[in-house]
Amino acid sequence: MLSKIKISCLFLFLLLSSAFAANASIDFYQIKIYHLKTDAQEKAVDDYLQKAYLPALHRNGIAKVGVFKPIVSDQAGITEKLIYVFIPLKSLNGILELDKKLSKDKQYAVDGKAYLDAIYNDAPFERLESIVLKAFEDAPHFMLPNIKSPMKERVYELRSYEAPTEKYFQNKVQMFNKGDEIGLFKRLNFNAVFYGEVIAGSRMPNLMYLTTFENKADRDAHWKAFSADDYWKKLSAMPEYQHNVSKNDTKFVYPTDYSDL
């Protein structure tokens, strides 16, 4: 009887260890979005990110952090300024662990003092939004873009696909994984940085991904090839993958000079 209990315990331990190992092999991502109104706020956040936050993340083992701003054609029509910060993490707990590590980082406290100790009536931002994502099964880790153009000429395309229900959402994720939509993007050289399921955010259920291009003309040429691709035509026509996107929210952004991605 005792041997059976030991065997059962050993089996459970191996099962849990296997599940933990599988989960540990998938990245988690945090996207912070700073909502700003003034040039002074934009400068304050830029200074903080460049001189304090990114160096602190680098010291804590996060070597590559992306910082992006919207590509805007009509400056007069802007109602708010935005800064996107993409942080890749090895675990979901990494978000909480990072905050604890930063709270003990004396250099970070010095470098980020102007931002961290800002007074209530001179805040460096209007609001700070946070989105948490889990990497796709078939794209478990983020990737560095392989493009050569100057930072401000690049076009990065951040897409959010909202689904009508959780079941349709999982169906769209499956379309990327088992349906090999990821493989199609890879074959056509879309230089995707990440694909992720949103597990905490304001537009759920939804997934997000980020593709990168040398410039606007390069972006348009890639999507033209995508639309004409025989595999995409076949995949998008499959009955099992119908109606799984209710809204496509596309943001065009470019990396700041101090971004790692």
Side-chain angles (χ1 to χ4, degrees):
M1 179 67 177
L2 186 59
S3 296
K4 288 183 178 180
I5 293 174
K6 287 182 178 179
I7 291 172
S8 296
C9 289
L10 178 60
F11 176 76
L12 179 61
F13 174 77
L14 292 173
L15 186 65
L16 291 173
S17 297
S18 176
F20 178 79
N23 189 53
S25 67
I26 294 179
D27 285 346
F28 286 80
Y29 309 122
Q30 182 180 24
I31 298 177
K32 290 185 173 183
I33 307 175
Y34 288 88
H35 295 259
L36 318 164
K37 277 190 176 179
T38 67
D39 292 342
Q41 286 182 326
E42 183 177 16
K43 184 179 186 307
V45 173
D46 270 328
D47 287 347
Y48 161 70
L49 293 174
Q50 182 175 11
K51 299 173 183 177
Y53 193 63
L54 265 67
L57 265 55
H58 295 162
R59 288 194 295 272
N60 282 281
I62 303 174
K64 301 296 180 182
V65 181
V67 183
F68 313 101
K69 294 184 179 182
I71 296 173
V72 180
S73 56
D74 180 16
Q75 294 289 336
I78 297 176
T79 57
E80 68 173 352
K81 300 171 182 288
L82 298 170
I83 299 178
Y84 298 81
V85 183
F86 170 77
I87 308 164
L89 301 152
K90 296 300 181 185
S91 70
L92 184 56
N93 278 341
I95 297 173
L96 299 177
E97 291 169 358
L98 180 59
D99 288 340
K100 289 180 182 178
K101 290 175 181 177
L102 292 180
S103 69
K104 298 176 182 178
D105 189 327
K106 294 181 180 179
Q107 188 62 50
Y108 168 69
V110 172
D111 295 341
K113 182 174 176 56
Y115 172 95
L116 297 171
D117 295 339
I119 58 176
Y120 75 95
N121 59 353
D122 191 23
F125 55 81
E126 296 300 309
R127 285 295 87 190
L128 176 56
E129 182 181 349
S130 179
I131 302 170
V132 180
L133 308 97
K134 181 179 72 172
F136 280 10
E137 180 181 320
D138 283 10
H141 307 294
F142 82 99
M143 296 150 281
L144 296 176
N146 183 26
I147 51 180
K148 308 298 182 184
S149 58
M151 291 289 206
K152 289 191 176 181
E153 289 182 16
R154 298 179 185 182
V155 173
Y156 287 16
E157 189 166 354
L158 180 63
R159 288 197 172 206
S160 169
Y161 289 168
E162 298 174 22
T165 68
E166 289 94 334
K167 187 173 182 179
Y168 279 106
F169 162 72
Q170 290 297 336
N171 178 262
K172 182 58 182 176
V173 174
Q174 180 178 312
M175 188 175 177
F176 272 93
N177 288 320
K178 293 182 180 178
D180 202 29
E181 193 170 346
I182 290 174
L184 174 59
F185 276 110
K186 188 178 295 185
R187 175 166 58 80
L188 296 178
N189 298 315
F190 270 68
N191 277 301
V193 174
F194 76 90
Y195 301 89
E197 301 178 37
V198 174
I199 58 176
S202 61
R203 306 298 302 177
M204 298 176 68
N206 70 312
L207 62 87
M208 300 178 74
Y209 66 94
L210 179 66
T211 50
T212 64
F213 311 94
E214 301 284 356
N215 47 49
K216 179 65 163 55
D218 184 43
R219 180 264 175 194
D220 292 346
H222 274 79
W223 277 109
K224 184 177 180 180
F226 185 95
S227 299
D229 190 86
D230 287 340
Y231 184 72
W232 170 245
K233 290 178 180 179
K234 177 184 175 182
L235 181 65
S236 61
M238 290 181 179
E240 61 265 39
Y241 294 134
Q242 299 306 302
H243 312 298
N244 55 17
V245 176
S246 55
K247 182 179 179 181
N248 171 2
D249 182 31
T250 299
K251 308 290 187 188
F252 296 107
V253 298
Y254 69 92
T256 65
D257 291 339
Y258 58 90
S259 176
D260 298 321
L261 299 175

